[in-house]
Amino acid sequence: MKIKKGDTVKVIAGKDKDKEGKVLSVDAKNSKVVVEGVNMITKHAKPSAANQNGGIIQKEAPLDISNVMYLHKGKATRVGFKMDGDKKVRFAKTTGEVID
């Protein structure tokens, strides 16, 4: 996966276009990501042990991974892979700098 948990990304398509946030989780199997404060949904919850009162809850819904782009130094960039010695590393295509 080119995007990992903890990365800062920018939404490039959909109702939340141009919003930015941190990736909370990545579902590689279904190609989905959950981004902090983006694609908020309203969920009606019954009272439970965890949530005594129940009620209406706002939470993030998964986005397709194709609708987000990695942010490198404040600018959206594509991500590539290259070999750095014997390690495979991610790099920003705009600058060529190694991400991690």
Side-chain angles (χ1 to χ4, degrees):
M1 292 300 267
K2 294 183 177 182
I3 292 176
K4 294 181 178 178
K5 181 179 175 180
D7 286 348
T8 307
V9 294
K10 181 175 187 175
V11 179
I12 57 170
K15 65 174 185 171
D16 292 321
K17 186 176 180 177
D18 294 328
K19 285 190 181 177
E20 298 173 4
K22 197 170 104 178
V23 175
L24 300 175
S25 68
V26 177
D27 181 5
K29 186 178 176 187
N30 298 318
S31 300
K32 301 279 185 184
V33 290
V34 176
V35 182
E36 192 174 44
V38 175
N39 198 25
M40 299 300 283
I41 59 165
T42 305
K43 191 166 175 73
H44 297 264
K46 281 187 175 181
S48 65
N51 183 8
Q52 296 289 326
N53 296 337
I56 299 169
I57 300 167
Q58 291 273 44
K59 64 180 273 183
E60 294 94 353
L63 282 167
D64 198 87
I65 203 157
S66 65
N67 293 339
V68 298
M69 213 168 182
Y70 183 80
L71 274 181
H72 183 67
K73 295 183 178 172
K75 294 183 101 179
T77 180
R78 290 182 296 154
V79 176
F81 290 101
K82 67 179 177 182
M83 295 303 290
D84 187 24
D86 59 341
K87 283 190 75 171
K88 184 180 175 184
V89 293
R90 295 188 303 162
F91 74 100
K93 293 244 181 156
T94 53
T95 59
E97 292 180 37
V98 173
I99 294 167
D100 52 1

